[in-house]
Amino acid sequence: MELTTVWFGLIAVLWIGYFCLEGFDFGVGMLLPVLARDDRERRVLINTIGPVWDGNEVWVLVAGGATFAAFPEWYATLFSGFYLPLLLILVALIVRGLAFEYRAKRDDHTWRARWDLAIIVGSFLPALLWGVAFANIVRGVPIDENAEYVGGFFNLLSPYALLGGVTTLLLFLTHGALFVALKTDGDIRHRARALALKVGVAAAVAAVAFLAWTQASTGSAGSLVLFAAAALALVGGLVAALRAREGWAFTGNFLAIGLAVAGLFAALFPDVMPSSLDPAWSLTTTNASATEYTLTVMTWVAVFFTPIVLLYQGWTYWVFRRRIGTQHIPA
């Protein structure tokens, strides 16, 4: 197997990890005003993701760095063409991180309410815009013969792209609600599970529509299998939630997101960024890749350091695996 194909697969794995892990972070942040009825319950929700949210963000940093090193042409075209939405995502993530750190610095209701709003908006924007961005990457955007994006901002807001944004938004809301149901006890747990069922049905409808549209437009045999598996996992997760099996419900939604993202990359391959103007101008794993030497060095680095990162992050989740409730939050 060529190293370009290997690195395309590794970048896909990094994005799968990011959406599966950071997805429930976004969901919890967006659900802050919905599930919490007072400040103590809001603190419970924030504490469910407090030990892990920053580690989950590492996946997108590594994905961006790997794209830059392995496929510099892809990185250049993507970040220049999608400059505004990616800038909005970056600002939202920065403000959201500040909110987690500064919310408790003052014992003032207005202070906390403003930082809570920052968490909500900082979770909502990436949850929506990542779906819009990936939908455009898979479907194709105006790229000329010089590998430059020649469209405008509104070219990125097609009905298909907006459906992709709504799909990720609803999937992450469901993911967050299931994570809260899995990690909390008491009234919050029951409210989260009930909400996950309601939002999950809407997410299933949006996801089926988006994945079917993708398959009809650019799909392959591999993407069809992965999309079908994602749909089954999502339905299985909702059935488990209906039976109050939060662990299986969260696992089902986790797999649904992961399989759906894998299907998008399968539909994209061997392109990395198709041109909607002329297929001959599309960026592929071949014409957008770095040198063989660069890919070889990166492969050895990944072989040694990836297991360490996985073990450390797995250990973090194991240490903070217990449920929490308002009884654990001091007045």
Side-chain angles (χ1 to χ4, degrees):
M1 183 182 294
E2 294 184 359
L3 286 179
T4 53
T5 303
V6 170
W7 274 98
F8 181 86
L10 288 176
I11 290 172
V13 169
L14 291 170
W15 281 109
I16 290 169
Y18 177 65
F19 282 130
C20 288
L21 297 174
E22 186 82 320
F24 66 75
D25 287 351
F26 292 146
V28 173
M30 289 186 286
L31 292 173
L32 205 60
V34 179
L35 292 178
R37 294 178 177 174
D38 54 36
D39 186 62
R40 183 173 287 189
E41 290 190 347
R42 283 191 288 272
R43 290 163 66 187
V44 169
L45 291 180
I46 293 172
N47 284 357
T48 61
I49 60 175
V52 298
W53 71 267
D54 48 355
N56 293 341
E57 284 192 354
V58 170
W59 288 81
V60 73
L61 298 177
V62 179
T67 303
F68 173 75
F71 300 102
E73 288 283 353
W74 183 14
Y75 182 93
T77 304
L78 175 64
F79 278 79
S80 60
F82 292 24
Y83 180 81
L84 183 56
L86 292 177
L87 177 63
L88 289 174
I89 291 173
L90 179 61
V91 172
L93 292 177
I94 292 172
V95 173
R96 176 171 166 267
L98 289 173
F100 286 134
E101 299 296 334
Y102 280 89
R103 183 185 186 278
K105 296 299 183 183
R106 287 174 56 183
D107 187 15
D108 179 77
H109 175 74
T110 303
W111 172 270
R112 290 194 298 268
R114 288 173 178 171
W115 285 119
D116 286 346
L117 180 61
I119 293 174
I120 297 165
V121 176
S123 299
F124 172 83
L125 283 178
L128 176 69
L129 293 178
W130 278 130
V132 172
F134 263 82
N136 278 292
I137 292 172
V138 174
R139 187 76 179 276
V141 291
I143 299 174
D144 65 12
E145 67 275 15
N146 298 316
E148 294 182 1
Y149 177 78
V150 293
F153 173 73
F154 291 102
N155 288 103
L156 304 177
L157 301 180
S158 66
Y160 172 78
L162 292 175
L163 178 59
V166 170
T167 300
T168 54
L169 181 70
L170 292 174
L171 283 174
F172 291 165
L173 279 170
T174 306
H175 209 32
L178 290 172
F179 184 75
V180 172
L182 179 65
K183 286 289 295 178
T184 61
D185 211 349
D187 291 339
I188 301 178
R189 174 185 179 184
H190 301 301
R191 291 199 298 268
R193 188 171 66 240
L195 181 63
L197 286 169
K198 296 176 183 178
V199 180
V201 172
V205 173
V208 168
F210 175 67
L211 297 181
W213 195 343
T214 303
Q215 183 63 31
S217 301
T218 61
S220 62
S223 65
L224 177 61
V225 173
L226 290 168
F227 289 158
L232 291 174
L234 183 57
V235 172
L238 293 177
V239 172
L242 186 63
R243 297 180 178 178
R245 302 291 298 274
E246 289 102 345
W248 286 110
F250 179 77
T251 301
N253 203 71
F254 188 101
L255 290 174
I257 294 173
L259 290 167
V261 176
L264 292 178
F265 274 91
L268 181 62
F269 185 81
D271 292 335
V272 294
M273 206 164 177
S275 172
S276 60
L277 301 178
D278 188 335
W281 297 341
S282 297
L283 298 179
T284 68
T285 55
T286 302
N287 64 23
S289 70
T291 64
E292 187 79 9
Y293 178 77
T294 300
L295 295 177
T296 301
V297 172
M298 289 174 58
T299 301
W300 282 110
V301 172
V303 167
F304 283 106
F305 285 98
T306 301
I308 297 175
V309 174
L310 293 175
L311 286 172
Y312 172 76
Q313 193 159 25
W315 175 79
T316 303
Y317 277 93
W318 176 257
V319 170
F320 296 100
R321 67 189 183 278
R322 298 187 183 279
R323 293 181 181 270
I324 60 173
T326 52
Q327 69 273 16
H328 298 111
I329 305 297

